[in-house]
Amino acid sequence: MKKIRNSLTAVLFLLVCFLPVFLSDPALAAAIPESRQKPLVVDEAELLTPQEEESLLARLEEISERQKCDVALVTVNSLDGKTIRNFADDFFDYNGYGWGSADDGLILVVDMKTRQWWISTHAYAITAFTDAGIDYIGDKISGSLSSGNYANAFFKYASLCDDFLTEARKGTPYDTGHLPKEKPGVLMLLLALGIGGVAGLIVVTVMRSQLKNVKPQESAQNYMTREGLRLSEERDLFMYSKTHRTARPKDTGGSSSSSSGSSTHTSSSGRSHGGGGGRF
Amino acid sequence: MAQLQEYKCPACGGALEFNAGIQKVKCPYCDTEYEMETLEKLDEQLKQEAEQKDDLKWENKPGSEWQENEKENMVMYSCESCGGQIVCDRETAATTCPYCDNPVVMVGNFKGNLRPDYVIPFQLDKKAAKEKFWSYLKDKRLLPKVFKTETHIDEIKGVYVPFWLFDADVNAHMRYKATRVETWSDSDYNYTKTNYYSIIRRGTVGFERVPVDGSSKMPDDLMESLEPFDFSQAVDFQTAYLAGYLADKYDVSEEQSENRANARIRNSTESVFRSTVNGYATVTQESSSIRFSNGNASYALFPVWLLNTTWRGTRYTFAMNGQTGKFVGNLPTDWGAYWRWLLSIAGGVGAAIYAVMWLWALL
């Protein structure tokens, strides 16, 4: 009995000792580990071959180290009944993701059951990855995700995150009106050659027209007498009028100005997250 | 009520009715409304037009008879190849045909035909004609290189080409339908109001000495390209002006040439009348009645330097206005050079644009 009482006393003592810690951060602060508990790539849904996973992990570690911001991704088959947003936030928080004391970082969650993706950002990553930026990344990877080129999608995600972080470090994070420029593709090459062809055709047509200067004169303007035209009657008579009306397009009132910046929300851990997602 | 004359709706052609309710004439088919006064004026116009017909008649006959002594000094040559007939004075020996470059033979003394009223003497000599030819060939990048070396420039010939000159005063009566458009809007609708006008123009315009080539050997478009000739330098015809040059005699009669002059005068009349209708969104000519008065034709010789050259089986004819130096003639195209230019410009410009696209994406 005494043993039990002693143990209880010890537990109580411990509780009393750590109570200030609990009180200072009441929302399960202790559940957020100091250091990262999981690797930057967690492939629970088994979408990658071991070799792919290994090289992707190396790539993400290199980027995270260099940019001082964790770039992580996790694939799952179940969201444990949470929304994908909450799942992503919690996965990030409770597994201790994030670089440095501020826990700068972002995580991409791909859920194979609902076929959704979500990017949750925290701390500096909220600045670097705006809503428009996350949509842009989603646009670039969802095609590969849909068609099953997961490795392709994830490497693209890695290099885009790298670009986004580099741009953010310059003080100009990608945002509405300042998204990465598209590299010209084959279509643009054809367009350029088409324009060149038209320009060439204009030049040679002009050159060819210089070889031909024989044409009939349809006018006798040169032979008009000096007095020119003498009008004896000049009347402009109004006959009738016709009025048509078309309904004006109704202004729906909603301003369509595109927003910029990052929107944030508070996760279950009490920390602030940014993010965005979609389906594939 | 006086019997209402039947009017046709200017907008749709339907029969109009007087609408007592609005005290206006309203078309039962297209709902257009008219003032009575407007309809009366329009009707008056239509009646006048019905009486008018185009009248493009020429009155005076050109040319005059040759004096016997004038004919004695001139001889005629005929080309056995193309059938062209040329005239020159006894001192000037013609050897080749100015039209086809084949030898000509003397067929005897000059006879028949009208004596020209006027002649514009040559102002530019053979040397000037050659220089003009070379400068015309210069900077033509698609001209085959060998064309220059294979051209027999020395065979350029001065020819007096017969022209019929037509003078006329033109009385014209034109009617146009014109529109003006107003637009405005209120909170619910955008409105477009089209006002229709009937435009009347009547007047006179004079034309002097509209030239028509009177030689069937001379392509009409080539001769028209040589215009204008400055008639102020024309003099009364004397055979002395022919010395050293060849002359053609007309083989297209004045009557046959009239149509060409009429067409050109009609075009210019319509455009000069049209230019007096301003300030409308659209103008459509609805009717035109053109009548010539004081129509008069004369017969003149104009100076032309002619060069014929055959290159790869095609004959190229060049002509220079012997008065102003204007040089005309179609040249052949070097298709190899054509494609080289086209492809290199297309490639160069295309590559440059593509490079700029990349630069823009990377910066």
Side-chain angles (χ1 to χ4, degrees):
Chain A
M1 264 318 261
K2 195 177 180 187
K3 231 181 198 173
I4 293 169
R5 197 183 301 149
N6 281 346
S7 323
L8 273 174
T9 317
V11 169
L12 268 174
F13 176 74
L14 274 170
L15 270 173
V16 170
C17 282
F18 285 101
L19 202 57
V21 180
F22 282 128
L23 287 174
S24 71
D25 201 351
L28 305 159
I32 296 178
E34 277 295 304
S35 61
R36 182 148 58 76
Q37 305 296 302
K38 291 199 169 168
L40 289 172
V41 178
V42 178
D43 187 19
E44 279 177 20
E46 299 290 347
L47 301 179
L48 301 168
T49 65
Q51 292 87 348
E52 285 169 349
E53 190 173 338
E54 195 181 319
S55 70
L56 184 62
L57 181 62
R59 176 100 170 97
L60 290 181
E61 277 172 348
E62 186 272 322
I63 292 168
S64 303
E65 185 86 17
R66 178 158 45 79
Q67 301 283 7
K68 310 218 179 316
C69 181
D70 273 0
V71 178
L73 79 90
V74 52
T75 68
V76 292
N77 282 319
S78 157
L79 295 172
D80 302 336
K82 298 179 187 174
T83 65
I84 191 161
R85 187 185 88 175
N86 293 341
F87 181 89
D89 293 349
D90 293 350
F91 197 92
F92 185 90
D93 290 345
Y94 298 128
N95 288 311
Y97 284 100
W99 183 276
S101 55
D103 281 348
D104 299 326
L106 76 159
I107 190 162
L108 166 67
V109 177
V110 173
D111 174 38
M112 294 310 289
K113 193 177 172 198
T114 59
R115 295 193 76 81
Q116 292 183 88
W117 62 268
W118 187 270
I119 290 171
S120 172
T121 57
H122 182 62
Y124 185 68
I126 296 178
T127 313
F129 296 84
T130 60
D131 294 348
I134 290 168
D135 284 346
Y136 178 85
I137 294 174
D139 265 2
K140 295 286 156 199
I141 63 170
S142 56
S144 299
L145 288 177
S146 303
S147 52
N149 292 325
Y150 301 108
N152 199 346
F154 296 151
F155 277 105
K156 199 175 273 176
Y157 162 73
S159 57
L160 280 170
C161 287
D162 194 8
D163 288 349
F164 271 62
L165 286 163
T166 307
E167 195 69 12
R169 296 286 180 208
K170 287 187 208 157
T172 53
Y174 285 125
D175 199 352
T176 313
H178 174 60
L179 287 169
K181 289 169 187 164
E182 299 287 335
K183 299 223 172 7
V186 180
L187 207 67
M188 287 292 150
L189 179 63
L190 290 179
L191 181 72
L193 287 177
I195 296 171
V198 171
L201 209 60
I202 291 171
V203 173
V204 290
T205 306
V206 168
M207 283 177 171
R208 231 186 133 224
S209 72
Q210 291 172 346
L211 300 177
K212 309 251 173 268
N213 67 351
V214 175
K215 57 175 189 305
Q217 303 260 358
E218 296 305 337
S219 140
Q221 207 86 19
N222 287 332
Y223 305 95
M224 214 174 274
T225 51
R226 200 158 297 178
E227 305 98 81
L229 174 63
R230 285 145 290 157
L231 284 176
S232 57
E233 185 184 354
E234 198 173 355
R235 275 204 290 172
D236 293 26
L237 187 65
F238 172 75
M239 293 193 291
Y240 58 93
S241 68
K242 285 188 185 299
T243 305
H244 290 281
R245 62 174 197 184
T246 49
R248 294 181 68 152
K250 288 277 176 265
D251 224 349
T252 44
S255 68
S256 62
S257 67
S258 55
S259 60
S260 60
S262 301
S263 54
T264 56
H265 56 269
T266 309
S267 69
S268 68
S269 69
R271 301 205 303 186
S272 178
H273 281 269
R279 299 183 171 276
F280 61 88
Chain B
M1 188 180 149
Q3 192 165 4
L4 183 65
Q5 186 192 347
E6 188 182 281
Y7 291 117
K8 277 189 175 165
C9 172
C12 73
L16 293 172
E17 286 169 5
F18 185 75
N19 187 316
I22 54 170
Q23 288 293 306
K24 277 182 181 175
V25 178
K26 186 169 184 176
C27 174
Y29 306 99
C30 68
D31 282 345
T32 313
E33 291 171 10
Y34 300 93
E35 300 289 346
M36 198 59 219
E37 195 188 346
T38 308
L39 285 174
E40 277 165 7
K41 282 184 186 160
L42 286 173
D43 194 59
E44 185 190 325
Q45 284 299 333
L46 288 172
K47 276 185 190 153
Q48 283 183 8
E49 273 164 26
E51 291 161 10
Q52 290 166 345
K53 291 241 168 60
D54 279 4
D55 180 10
L56 308 173
K57 283 278 186 300
W58 302 91
E59 291 156 12
N60 300 348
K61 293 293 167 197
S64 56
E65 292 303 317
W66 289 94
Q67 311 280 314
E68 251 337 286
N69 59 344
E70 284 179 331
K71 281 187 175 180
E72 278 171 15
N73 278 329
M74 294 194 294
V75 285
M76 265 173 52
Y77 288 84
S78 173
C79 172
E80 292 176 319
S81 173
C82 71
Q85 288 200 322
I86 50 168
V87 183
C88 57
D89 71 357
R90 282 191 187 281
E91 315 305 321
T92 315
T95 53
T96 54
C97 174
Y99 308 117
C100 68
D101 240 0
N102 284 303
V104 289
V105 291
M106 198 181 4
V107 290
N109 286 337
F110 177 76
K111 52 181 177 294
N113 268 306
L114 291 176
R115 180 182 187 275
D117 298 313
Y118 305 102
V119 59
I120 297 178
F122 273 92
Q123 310 287 325
L124 292 165
D125 60 10
K126 191 169 184 173
K127 194 167 156 253
K130 285 187 194 175
E131 277 167 14
K132 288 279 181 190
F133 179 72
W134 293 125
S135 70
Y136 179 62
L137 297 191
K138 233 180 12 192
D139 297 330
K140 302 261 190 294
R141 296 183 201 284
L142 296 186
L143 181 69
K145 296 265 181 297
V146 290
F147 186 81
K148 293 184 191 178
T149 53
E150 289 177 11
T151 300
H152 306 293
I153 181 69
D154 280 329
E155 287 166 22
I156 196 161
K157 288 185 183 66
V159 183
Y160 279 110
V161 178
F163 276 87
W164 300 108
L165 306 178
F166 295 93
D167 296 351
D169 285 332
V170 179
N171 297 301
H173 180 194
M174 318 290 281
R175 185 162 56 88
Y176 306 90
K177 188 174 192 176
T179 63
R180 245 179 226 155
V181 180
E182 298 166 50
T183 55
W184 70 95
S185 37
D186 59 22
S187 53
D188 292 328
Y189 293 99
N190 293 322
Y191 297 87
T192 310
K193 183 180 180 187
T194 311
N195 295 312
Y196 291 84
Y197 297 84
S198 181
I199 315 277
I200 314 292
R201 292 288 183 272
R202 198 196 289 268
T204 316
V205 59
F207 290 89
E208 277 179 335
R209 293 181 281 272
V210 178
V212 179
D213 161 29
S215 163
S216 62
K217 294 285 161 200
M218 287 291 190
D220 284 357
D221 56 356
L222 188 73
M223 289 299 106
E224 287 179 13
S225 303
L226 282 177
E227 290 179 26
F229 286 91
D230 176 9
F231 197 79
S232 67
Q233 287 179 321
V235 292
D236 288 341
F237 178 77
Q238 296 294 327
T239 50
Y241 289 110
L242 297 188
Y245 296 103
L246 308 174
D248 197 357
K249 57 195 187 65
Y250 74 88
D251 54 0
V252 181
S253 72
E254 173 221 354
E255 286 81 12
Q256 289 168 301
S257 302
E258 269 175 22
N259 286 341
R260 184 66 196 147
N262 289 353
R264 290 179 61 178
I265 289 174
R266 172 181 279 279
N267 281 340
S268 287
T269 303
E270 287 180 353
S271 75
V272 72
F273 272 84
R274 171 66 184 77
S275 69
T276 66
V277 183
N278 296 314
Y280 294 94
T282 64
V283 179
T284 333
Q285 184 178 307
E286 293 234 292
S287 81
S288 88
S289 137
I290 292 178
R291 286 195 288 179
F292 288 7
S293 59
N294 307 321
N296 190 12
S298 46
Y299 177 31
L301 297 179
F302 285 173
V304 174
W305 285 100
L306 264 190
L307 175 65
N308 276 285
T309 195
T310 304
W311 192 72
R312 296 206 179 154
T314 312
R315 197 155 63 91
Y316 294 90
T317 305
F318 302 96
M320 187 183 91
N321 184 321
Q323 185 184 24
T324 63
K326 185 177 184 184
F327 204 100
V328 298
N330 291 341
L331 292 162
T333 303
D334 180 347
W335 288 101
Y338 179 90
W339 284 107
R340 272 197 303 283
W341 276 96
L342 177 58
L343 294 178
S344 53
I345 293 170
V349 173
I353 293 175
Y354 196 57
V356 168
M357 288 175 177
W358 267 99
L359 224 74
W360 188 82
L362 294 178
L363 288 182

